[in-house]
Amino acid sequence: MPGAGGGVAYAHVVGQQSGNDNLIVAASTATTTRIAQGQFSGFDEDDVRWVAALGADYGVIAVSPDSPYDDLTELMEALRAEPASLSIVGASAVGGWDHLKVLLVAQAAGLENLSALRYVSFSSGGQAIVELLGGRAEVFSGDVSEALPQIEAGNLKVLGILAEERADGLLAEVPTAAEQGYDVVGANWRGFYMPAGTSDEAYTFWVEAFRELEASEAYATVRQQSGLSPFWRGGEEMTAFVYDEVETIRELSEQINLTE
């Protein structure tokens, strides 16, 4: 059910599917972002039941190989001195997830005027990286999956990964934001919600079904093939996670005047 970045489906579920025990709907960080920014026709995070998240594409902050910045602290110090001095590029729109990831790190670093940071949106991560390599931008904000080919080609220097722990492979030597003093996890998660009014029996069934799926070897293979990392939240934990994420994004969006 396409439309409004998931908003049409969300409105349909809230307005017409209450109590439907046999309906699950895919969601992601984009869902919570749009809810936080008031883009879902006035519907909020408490209008559905959040079931589980079972995989994520973690965020990275990167620069060109010849950049003078070697870690997140050096980058944040430059932005603190002159917030608009560096062009930051990503694939999401202004206020979207690539933009918000940089803001989360900047906020953790104590930068106050977040709206002064200069973010430029492109239609894909590839185009954003072309701008970086062409010298028309200084910082790239994206996800691990889109950055890996460019890292392998030697075209990106990753300053930090916004994950709970270090990645494997090419990113094994890249410290997390937390290791550098910034308590930030930028997970573009994949998950599901159900309509409000569904029975506790059905809700519990789906939480446990996804829990079993997430722990299986078959799903681990599919997750890896999809460029995702392990990321599990289920039931009450998932609900609390979504509420916290919406509140964080709502506060950030208010600071850059994007909340409707």
Side-chain angles (χ1 to χ4, degrees), residues 27-96:
S28 70
T29 307
T31 310
T32 48
T33 298
R34 290 183 171 92
I35 290 172
Q37 294 174 349
Q39 297 180 28
F40 276 10
S41 302
F43 297 120
D44 293 321
E45 62 274 20
D46 56 1
D47 288 321
V48 299
R49 301 189 74 174
W50 299 94
V51 180
L54 59 164
D57 198 357
Y58 286 104
V60 294
I61 307 297
V63 294
S64 62
D66 59 355
S67 170
Y69 309 114
D70 292 319
D71 55 42
L72 288 176
T73 297
E74 292 181 358
L75 177 62
M76 291 301 119
E77 287 176 351
L79 290 172
R80 182 180 290 107
E82 296 183 65
S85 63
L86 303 179
S87 178
I88 304 164
V89 293
S92 74
V94 172

Side-chain angles (χ1 to χ4, degrees), residues 17-248:
Q17 296 295 329
S18 179
N20 186 347
D21 285 354
N22 298 310
L23 178 64
I24 55 173
V25 188
S28 70
T29 307
T31 310
T32 48
T33 298
R34 290 183 171 92
I35 290 172
Q37 294 174 349
Q39 297 180 28
F40 276 10
S41 302
F43 297 120
D44 293 321
E45 62 274 20
D46 56 1
D47 288 321
V48 299
R49 301 189 74 174
W50 299 94
V51 180
L54 59 164
D57 198 357
Y58 286 104
V60 294
I61 307 297
V63 294
S64 62
D66 59 355
S67 170
Y69 309 114
D70 292 319
D71 55 42
L72 288 176
T73 297
E74 292 181 358
L75 177 62
M76 291 301 119
E77 287 176 351
L79 290 172
R80 182 180 290 107
E82 296 183 65
S85 63
L86 303 179
S87 178
I88 304 164
V89 293
S92 74
V94 172
W97 190 230
D98 287 344
H99 187 191
L100 292 172
K101 283 180 292 197
V102 177
L103 296 183
L104 285 168
V105 178
Q107 183 182 58
L111 276 71
E112 296 181 356
N113 189 10
L114 298 180
S115 62
L117 298 186
R118 188 154 55 97
Y119 175 82
V120 182
S121 170
F122 289 87
S123 60
S124 71
Q127 288 187 340
I129 292 171
V130 166
E131 291 297 303
L132 184 78
L133 298 179
R136 296 178 293 276
E138 290 77 31
V139 183
F140 168 71
S141 174
D143 290 327
V144 168
S145 63
E146 62 187 350
L148 276 178
Q150 298 298 329
I151 297 168
E152 188 172 16
N155 292 332
L156 286 180
K157 176 168 61 174
V158 180
L159 304 185
I161 180 171
L162 310 186
E164 296 165 310
E165 57 186 39
R166 291 197 185 195
D168 298 325
L170 293 174
L171 292 173
E173 300 303 316
V174 176
T176 65
E179 287 181 87
Q180 300 179 64
Y182 310 109
D183 187 17
V184 174
V185 174
N188 189 357
W189 53 269
R190 311 291 196 271
F192 298 90
Y193 64 85
M194 296 181 70
T198 54
S199 68
D200 290 342
E201 180 182 9
Y203 178 78
T204 300
F205 169 84
W206 282 111
V207 171
E208 295 308 315
F210 282 123
R211 190 190 308 276
E212 182 178 348
L213 172 67
E214 195 274 338
S216 69
E217 292 184 8
Y219 178 69
T221 299
V222 172
R223 183 179 58 214
Q224 184 176 28
Q225 291 171 343
S226 301
L228 299 178
S229 298
F231 185 85
W232 167 255
R233 304 288 189 277
E236 292 182 3
E237 182 186 19
M238 177 61 178
T239 302
F241 167 75
V242 166
Y243 276 54
D244 287 345
E245 183 166 84
V246 168
E247 182 60 27
T248 296

